[in-house]
Amino acid sequence: MSEPTDEAVLGDLAETDILARIFPRLPGAAAAIVGPGDDAAVIAAADGRFVVTTDMMIHGPDFRLAWSTPYELGWKAAATNLSDVAAMGARPSALVVALAAPADWPVAAVESFADGLREACDALAPGCGVVGGDLSVSPVLTIAITAFGDLEGRTPVLRSGARDGDVVAHAGRRGAAARGLRLLFTEGVDADGHPDAERTARLRREQPLALAAQLAPEPPISSGVDAATAGATAMLDVSDGLARDARRIAEASGVRIDFDSAALGDDPVFALGGGEDHGLLATFPPGAPIPDGFRVLGLVVDGAGVSLDGKAIDPAGWDPYSGWDGSAG
Protein backbone atom coordinates (compact mmCIF):
# COMPACT_ATOMS: atom_id res chain seq x y z
CA MET A 1 0.00 0.00 0.00
CA SER A 2 1.47 3.35 -1.05
CA GLU A 3 1.96 6.22 1.38
CA PRO A 4 0.12 9.52 0.80
CA THR A 5 2.02 11.75 -1.62
CA ASP A 6 0.99 15.21 -0.35
CA GLU A 7 -1.65 17.14 1.57
CA ALA A 8 -3.78 18.28 -1.38
CA VAL A 9 -7.55 17.90 -1.12
CA LEU A 10 -9.98 17.18 -3.97
CA GLY A 11 -11.05 20.81 -4.18
CA ASP A 12 -7.48 21.84 -5.05
CA LEU A 13 -7.38 19.89 -8.31
CA ALA A 14 -9.35 19.50 -11.52
CA GLU A 15 -11.03 16.18 -12.26
CA THR A 16 -8.49 15.39 -14.98
CA ASP A 17 -5.65 15.91 -12.52
CA ILE A 18 -7.25 13.60 -9.97
CA LEU A 19 -7.84 10.92 -12.61
CA ALA A 20 -4.24 11.22 -13.74
CA ARG A 21 -3.18 10.36 -10.20
CA ILE A 22 -5.46 7.39 -9.67
CA PHE A 23 -5.51 5.71 -13.11
CA PRO A 24 -1.99 4.26 -12.67
CA ARG A 25 -3.07 2.78 -9.32
CA LEU A 26 -6.20 1.00 -10.60
CA PRO A 27 -6.12 -2.65 -11.68
CA GLY A 28 -6.29 -3.40 -15.38
CA ALA A 29 -8.94 -5.85 -16.60
CA ALA A 30 -7.90 -8.75 -18.81
CA ALA A 31 -11.35 -8.66 -20.46
CA ALA A 32 -11.09 -4.98 -21.42
CA ILE A 33 -10.83 -4.24 -25.14
CA VAL A 34 -11.16 -0.50 -24.46
CA GLY A 35 -10.41 0.65 -20.92
CA PRO A 36 -10.60 4.00 -19.15
CA GLY A 37 -10.21 7.13 -21.26
CA ASP A 38 -13.17 7.04 -23.65
CA ASP A 39 -16.85 7.67 -22.96
CA ALA A 40 -17.37 3.98 -22.22
CA ALA A 41 -15.36 0.80 -21.89
CA VAL A 42 -15.57 -2.21 -24.19
CA ILE A 43 -15.40 -5.60 -22.46
CA ALA A 44 -15.01 -8.99 -24.10
CA ALA A 45 -17.77 -11.50 -23.37
CA ALA A 46 -16.66 -14.64 -25.18
CA ASP A 47 -19.51 -16.60 -23.61
CA GLY A 48 -22.05 -14.35 -25.34
CA ARG A 49 -23.54 -13.48 -21.93
CA PHE A 50 -22.26 -11.61 -18.92
CA VAL A 51 -23.25 -11.25 -15.29
CA VAL A 52 -23.70 -7.70 -13.97
CA THR A 53 -24.38 -6.38 -10.47
CA THR A 54 -24.12 -3.06 -8.65
CA ASP A 55 -23.78 -2.01 -5.04
CA MET A 56 -23.39 1.23 -3.06
CA MET A 57 -21.54 2.09 0.12
CA ILE A 58 -22.60 5.31 1.84
CA HIS A 59 -20.97 7.01 4.79
CA GLY A 60 -23.22 6.49 7.79
CA PRO A 61 -25.30 3.38 7.14
CA ASP A 62 -22.54 1.36 5.42
CA PHE A 63 -19.25 2.60 6.90
CA ARG A 64 -17.75 5.20 9.20
CA LEU A 65 -14.58 7.09 8.34
CA ALA A 66 -13.57 6.95 12.00
CA TRP A 67 -13.44 3.16 11.62
CA SER A 68 -12.41 2.50 8.00
CA THR A 69 -9.35 3.73 6.16
CA PRO A 70 -9.71 4.77 2.49
CA TYR A 71 -7.66 1.69 1.55
CA GLU A 72 -10.12 -0.56 3.41
CA LEU A 73 -13.05 1.15 1.70
CA GLY A 74 -11.52 0.39 -1.69
CA TRP A 75 -10.85 -3.22 -0.71
CA LYS A 76 -14.32 -3.79 0.73
CA ALA A 77 -16.08 -2.08 -2.18
CA ALA A 78 -14.32 -4.45 -4.58
CA ALA A 79 -14.75 -7.55 -2.40
CA THR A 80 -18.50 -7.15 -1.88
CA ASN A 81 -19.16 -6.79 -5.59
CA LEU A 82 -16.81 -9.58 -6.61
CA SER A 83 -18.69 -11.86 -4.22
CA ASP A 84 -22.03 -11.10 -5.88
CA VAL A 85 -20.58 -12.10 -9.26
CA ALA A 86 -19.11 -15.27 -7.77
CA ALA A 87 -22.49 -16.18 -6.30
CA MET A 88 -23.86 -16.56 -9.83
CA GLY A 89 -21.13 -19.05 -10.69
CA ALA A 90 -19.30 -16.49 -12.81
CA ARG A 91 -15.69 -15.33 -12.85
CA PRO A 92 -15.34 -11.56 -12.16
CA SER A 93 -14.02 -9.71 -15.20
CA ALA A 94 -14.39 -5.94 -14.72
CA LEU A 95 -15.48 -3.16 -12.36
CA VAL A 96 -16.89 0.31 -13.02
CA VAL A 97 -16.35 2.61 -10.04
CA ALA A 98 -18.15 5.85 -9.13
CA LEU A 99 -16.93 7.95 -6.22
CA ALA A 100 -18.61 11.07 -4.83
CA ALA A 101 -16.58 12.71 -2.08
CA PRO A 102 -16.43 16.01 -0.17
CA ALA A 103 -14.20 18.62 -1.80
CA ASP A 104 -12.00 18.68 1.30
CA TRP A 105 -11.28 14.93 1.16
CA PRO A 106 -7.53 14.46 0.66
CA VAL A 107 -6.33 13.45 -2.79
CA ALA A 108 -4.07 10.97 -0.98
CA ALA A 109 -7.21 9.29 0.37
CA VAL A 110 -8.50 8.77 -3.18
CA GLU A 111 -5.14 7.29 -4.15
CA SER A 112 -5.30 4.95 -1.16
CA PHE A 113 -8.87 4.00 -2.09
CA ALA A 114 -7.61 3.08 -5.58
CA ASP A 115 -4.82 1.01 -4.02
CA GLY A 116 -7.42 -0.93 -2.04
CA LEU A 117 -9.41 -1.63 -5.21
CA ARG A 118 -6.30 -2.86 -7.01
CA GLU A 119 -5.00 -5.08 -4.25
CA ALA A 120 -8.42 -6.63 -3.60
CA CYS A 121 -8.78 -7.53 -7.27
CA ASP A 122 -5.24 -8.90 -7.41
CA ALA A 123 -5.78 -11.03 -4.30
CA LEU A 124 -9.38 -12.19 -4.78
CA ALA A 125 -10.01 -12.17 -8.54
CA PRO A 126 -6.81 -11.96 -10.60
CA GLY A 127 -7.49 -10.55 -14.06
CA CYS A 128 -10.45 -8.47 -12.93
CA GLY A 129 -9.86 -4.73 -13.05
CA VAL A 130 -11.39 -1.27 -13.26
CA VAL A 131 -12.49 -0.24 -16.75
CA GLY A 132 -14.13 3.12 -16.00
CA GLY A 133 -16.33 5.10 -13.66
CA ASP A 134 -17.03 8.63 -12.48
CA LEU A 135 -15.90 11.21 -9.94
CA SER A 136 -18.16 13.78 -8.34
CA VAL A 137 -18.50 16.04 -5.30
CA SER A 138 -20.89 15.29 -2.45
CA PRO A 139 -21.14 16.25 1.22
CA VAL A 140 -21.60 12.52 1.94
CA LEU A 141 -18.88 10.12 0.82
CA THR A 142 -20.58 7.67 -1.54
CA ILE A 143 -19.12 4.70 -3.43
CA ALA A 144 -20.95 2.87 -6.20
CA ILE A 145 -19.51 -0.10 -8.08
CA THR A 146 -20.86 -2.07 -11.00
CA ALA A 147 -19.22 -5.47 -11.47
CA PHE A 148 -19.23 -7.76 -14.49
CA GLY A 149 -18.58 -11.48 -14.69
CA ASP A 150 -17.98 -14.16 -17.32
CA LEU A 151 -20.03 -17.38 -17.10
CA GLU A 152 -17.50 -19.15 -19.33
CA GLY A 153 -20.20 -21.38 -20.80
CA ARG A 154 -21.74 -22.39 -17.49
CA THR A 155 -25.41 -22.01 -16.59
CA PRO A 156 -25.87 -19.23 -14.00
CA VAL A 157 -26.62 -20.50 -10.50
CA LEU A 158 -29.83 -18.87 -9.25
CA ARG A 159 -31.48 -18.70 -5.85
CA SER A 160 -34.50 -20.60 -7.11
CA GLY A 161 -32.97 -24.02 -7.84
CA ALA A 162 -32.81 -25.65 -4.39
CA ARG A 163 -34.81 -28.88 -4.08
CA ASP A 164 -35.96 -31.10 -1.22
CA GLY A 165 -33.05 -33.38 -0.28
CA ASP A 166 -30.27 -31.05 -1.44
CA VAL A 167 -27.26 -30.51 0.82
CA VAL A 168 -26.70 -26.98 2.18
CA ALA A 169 -23.06 -25.89 2.31
CA HIS A 170 -21.15 -22.67 2.92
CA ALA A 171 -17.73 -21.39 1.85
CA GLY A 172 -15.91 -18.67 3.74
CA ARG A 173 -15.88 -17.36 7.27
CA ARG A 174 -19.01 -17.36 9.42
CA GLY A 175 -19.55 -14.68 12.02
CA ALA A 176 -16.09 -13.11 12.07
CA ALA A 177 -17.25 -9.84 10.50
CA ALA A 178 -20.18 -9.65 12.93
CA ARG A 179 -17.76 -10.01 15.84
CA GLY A 180 -15.66 -7.19 14.41
CA LEU A 181 -18.74 -5.00 14.00
CA ARG A 182 -19.80 -5.62 17.58
CA LEU A 183 -16.32 -4.61 18.77
CA LEU A 184 -16.54 -1.38 16.80
CA PHE A 185 -19.97 -0.52 18.19
CA THR A 186 -19.01 -1.34 21.77
CA GLU A 187 -15.32 -0.36 22.00
CA GLY A 188 -14.65 1.78 18.94
CA VAL A 189 -16.86 4.63 20.16
CA ASP A 190 -16.54 7.54 22.56
CA ALA A 191 -18.55 8.10 25.73
CA ASP A 192 -21.48 9.38 23.68
CA GLY A 193 -21.50 6.37 21.37
CA HIS A 194 -19.95 8.14 18.37
CA PRO A 195 -17.34 6.32 16.24
CA ASP A 196 -13.90 7.24 17.55
CA ALA A 197 -10.73 6.95 15.47
CA GLU A 198 -8.37 6.83 18.47
CA ARG A 199 -10.24 3.98 20.16
CA THR A 200 -10.48 2.18 16.85
CA ALA A 201 -6.71 2.45 16.45
CA ARG A 202 -6.34 0.70 19.80
CA LEU A 203 -8.72 -2.04 18.66
CA ARG A 204 -6.65 -2.50 15.52
CA ARG A 205 -3.66 -3.28 17.71
CA GLU A 206 -5.55 -5.54 20.12
CA GLN A 207 -8.03 -7.29 17.79
CA PRO A 208 -6.54 -7.03 14.28
CA LEU A 209 -8.14 -10.16 12.83
CA ALA A 210 -11.65 -9.36 14.07
CA LEU A 211 -11.53 -5.83 12.69
CA ALA A 212 -10.03 -6.93 9.39
CA ALA A 213 -12.87 -9.42 8.90
CA GLN A 214 -15.36 -6.54 9.06
CA LEU A 215 -13.39 -3.72 7.41
CA ALA A 216 -11.56 -5.68 4.68
CA PRO A 217 -13.29 -9.05 4.18
CA GLU A 218 -11.75 -11.79 2.04
CA PRO A 219 -14.63 -13.65 0.33
CA PRO A 220 -13.88 -17.01 -1.32
CA ILE A 221 -14.41 -15.68 -4.84
CA SER A 222 -13.01 -18.69 -6.69
CA SER A 223 -15.41 -20.96 -4.79
CA GLY A 224 -18.29 -19.63 -6.89
CA VAL A 225 -16.92 -21.21 -10.06
CA ASP A 226 -16.06 -24.37 -8.11
CA ALA A 227 -19.64 -24.66 -6.85
CA ALA A 228 -21.13 -24.10 -10.30
CA THR A 229 -18.81 -26.72 -11.80
CA ALA A 230 -19.80 -29.20 -9.06
CA GLY A 231 -23.48 -28.79 -9.94
CA ALA A 232 -24.75 -26.33 -7.32
CA THR A 233 -28.53 -25.96 -7.61
CA ALA A 234 -28.77 -22.59 -5.85
CA MET A 235 -26.31 -20.06 -4.45
CA LEU A 236 -26.02 -16.55 -3.07
CA ASP A 237 -23.58 -14.20 -1.39
CA VAL A 238 -24.11 -14.04 2.36
CA SER A 239 -24.12 -10.29 2.93
CA ASP A 240 -27.05 -9.73 5.30
CA GLY A 241 -26.78 -12.73 7.63
CA LEU A 242 -26.59 -16.47 7.04
CA ALA A 243 -30.13 -17.17 8.24
CA ARG A 244 -31.66 -14.14 6.50
CA ASP A 245 -29.98 -14.98 3.20
CA ALA A 246 -30.86 -18.67 3.53
CA ARG A 247 -34.49 -17.56 3.77
CA ARG A 248 -34.07 -15.88 0.39
CA ILE A 249 -33.07 -19.19 -1.17
CA ALA A 250 -35.94 -20.91 0.66
CA GLU A 251 -38.50 -18.40 -0.59
CA ALA A 252 -37.20 -18.37 -4.16
CA SER A 253 -37.11 -22.19 -4.29
CA GLY A 254 -40.28 -22.96 -2.34
CA VAL A 255 -38.45 -25.06 0.28
CA ARG A 256 -37.17 -24.90 3.85
CA ILE A 257 -33.49 -24.61 4.80
CA ASP A 258 -32.73 -26.62 7.94
CA PHE A 259 -29.40 -25.85 9.62
CA ASP A 260 -27.58 -28.31 11.88
CA SER A 261 -26.46 -26.49 15.05
CA ALA A 262 -23.51 -28.86 15.48
CA ALA A 263 -22.13 -27.76 12.09
CA LEU A 264 -22.32 -24.04 12.92
CA GLY A 265 -19.59 -24.10 15.54
CA ASP A 266 -19.47 -22.93 19.13
CA ASP A 267 -21.41 -19.70 18.55
CA PRO A 268 -24.39 -20.27 16.23
CA VAL A 269 -25.77 -16.79 17.04
CA PHE A 270 -22.89 -15.08 15.27
CA ALA A 271 -22.78 -17.73 12.56
CA LEU A 272 -26.48 -17.30 11.72
CA GLY A 273 -26.77 -13.56 12.28
CA GLY A 274 -23.50 -12.28 10.81
CA GLY A 275 -23.20 -11.71 7.09
CA GLU A 276 -20.48 -9.31 6.04
CA ASP A 277 -17.88 -12.04 5.72
CA HIS A 278 -19.49 -12.36 2.24
CA GLY A 279 -19.22 -16.14 2.12
CA LEU A 280 -21.12 -18.22 -0.40
CA LEU A 281 -24.16 -20.29 0.61
CA ALA A 282 -25.00 -23.03 -1.89
CA THR A 283 -27.13 -26.13 -2.24
CA PHE A 284 -25.97 -29.32 -3.95
CA PRO A 285 -27.84 -32.41 -5.15
CA PRO A 286 -27.67 -35.47 -2.86
CA GLY A 287 -24.48 -37.37 -3.53
CA ALA A 288 -22.81 -34.54 -5.48
CA PRO A 289 -19.18 -33.83 -4.56
CA ILE A 290 -18.90 -30.86 -2.21
CA PRO A 291 -16.07 -28.60 -3.45
CA ASP A 292 -13.05 -27.89 -1.27
CA GLY A 293 -13.65 -24.84 0.89
CA PHE A 294 -17.33 -25.60 1.46
CA ARG A 295 -18.65 -26.98 4.75
CA VAL A 296 -21.97 -28.80 4.97
CA LEU A 297 -24.32 -26.92 7.32
CA GLY A 298 -27.66 -28.60 6.79
CA LEU A 299 -30.28 -29.85 4.36
CA VAL A 300 -33.02 -28.58 2.09
CA VAL A 301 -36.33 -30.04 3.26
CA ASP A 302 -39.99 -29.76 2.41
CA GLY A 303 -41.68 -26.70 3.85
CA ALA A 304 -40.95 -22.97 4.05
CA GLY A 305 -38.54 -20.60 5.80
CA VAL A 306 -35.48 -21.44 7.87
CA SER A 307 -35.07 -23.81 10.79
CA LEU A 308 -32.37 -24.91 13.23
CA ASP A 309 -32.39 -28.61 14.10
CA GLY A 310 -35.93 -28.79 12.74
CA LYS A 311 -37.24 -25.84 14.77
CA ALA A 312 -38.33 -22.73 12.85
CA ILE A 313 -36.30 -19.59 13.56
CA ASP A 314 -36.86 -15.93 12.79
CA PRO A 315 -33.77 -14.92 10.80
CA ALA A 316 -31.76 -12.02 12.15
CA GLY A 317 -29.35 -9.97 10.07
CA TRP A 318 -28.99 -6.68 8.26
CA ASP A 319 -31.69 -4.63 6.59
CA PRO A 320 -30.65 -1.30 5.01
CA TYR A 321 -33.77 0.43 6.30
CA SER A 322 -33.72 -0.85 9.87
CA GLY A 323 -30.12 -1.93 10.51
CA TRP A 324 -29.17 -5.09 12.38
CA ASP A 325 -32.15 -6.86 13.94
CA GLY A 326 -30.31 -9.57 15.83
CA SER A 327 -27.83 -9.99 18.64
CA ALA A 328 -24.94 -10.57 16.23
CA GLY A 329 -24.60 -6.90 15.31
Side-chain angles (χ1 to χ4, degrees):
M1 179 172 53
S2 301
E3 294 297 322
T5 55
D6 56 39
E7 297 181 358
V9 298
L10 294 180
D12 294 336
L13 301 176
E15 181 182 17
T16 53
D17 297 324
I18 299 169
L19 291 173
R21 291 196 181 201
I22 64 175
F23 272 160
R25 310 177 99 92
L26 294 173
I33 298 171
V34 177
D38 284 87
D39 289 328
V42 179
I43 305 169
D47 180 84
R49 306 163 298 170
F50 60 86
V51 167
V52 60
T53 183
T54 192
D55 192 38
M56 291 197 303
M57 291 171 51
I58 301 172
H59 184 259
D62 297 311
F63 64 88
R64 315 290 172 86
L65 284 170
W67 290 343
S68 296
T69 67
Y71 175 88
E72 289 168 336
L73 292 176
W75 180 289
K76 188 168 185 175
T80 56
N81 281 272
L82 296 172
S83 185
D84 281 334
V85 171
M88 300 296 292
R91 193 177 306 279
S93 57
L95 304 177
V96 175
V97 182
L99 177 68
D104 62 355
W105 213 43
V107 173
V110 183
E111 294 176 330
S112 185
F113 173 78
D115 290 340
L117 284 169
R118 184 189 67 251
E119 295 190 19
C121 287
D122 288 348
L124 304 175
C128 180
V130 176
V131 297
D134 191 27
L135 290 175
S136 190
V137 178
S138 169
V140 179
L141 181 61
T142 302
I143 303 160
I145 291 187
T146 300
F148 298 86
D150 186 354
L151 287 164
E152 301 174 325
R154 292 179 295 274
T155 300
V157 185
L158 310 181
R159 300 179 180 184
S160 55
R163 296 294 178 262
D164 185 4
D166 283 356
V167 174
V168 178
H170 177 271
R173 305 178 75 177
R174 291 175 295 279
R179 292 184 182 89
L181 187 64
R182 169 163 284 189
L183 278 172
L184 288 169
F185 271 113
T186 57
E187 300 184 36
V189 295
D190 61 21
D192 296 321
H194 300 132
D196 185 270
E198 184 173 331
R199 297 187 184 195
T200 302
R202 176 179 56 79
L203 279 178
R204 287 180 183 279
R205 295 191 296 271
E206 297 176 355
Q207 301 279 354
L209 296 181
L211 260 62
Q214 166 60 218
L215 302 176
E218 298 184 22
I221 304 302
S222 63
S223 292
V225 171
D226 294 341
T229 302
T233 54
M235 184 160 54
L236 53 57
D237 156 69
V238 181
S239 57
D240 298 330
L242 182 60
R244 181 181 288 265
D245 285 325
R247 183 173 62 183
R248 291 177 171 135
I249 289 180
E251 290 175 348
S253 300
V255 296
R256 177 160 59 96
I257 303 293
D258 184 44
F259 287 108
D260 178 357
S261 60
L264 292 172
D266 296 332
D267 198 338
V269 172
F270 274 104
L272 290 171
E276 288 189 295
D277 298 298
H278 291 278
L280 297 175
L281 182 65
T283 60
F284 297 89
I290 305 301
D292 290 342
F294 279 87
R295 180 175 180 176
V296 174
L297 298 183
L299 292 172
V300 177
V301 297
D302 184 42
V306 179
S307 58
L308 180 64
D309 298 331
K311 182 179 179 180
I313 59 174
D314 184 19
W318 167 257
D319 182 286
Y321 296 99
S322 60
W324 286 100
D325 62 353
S327 59

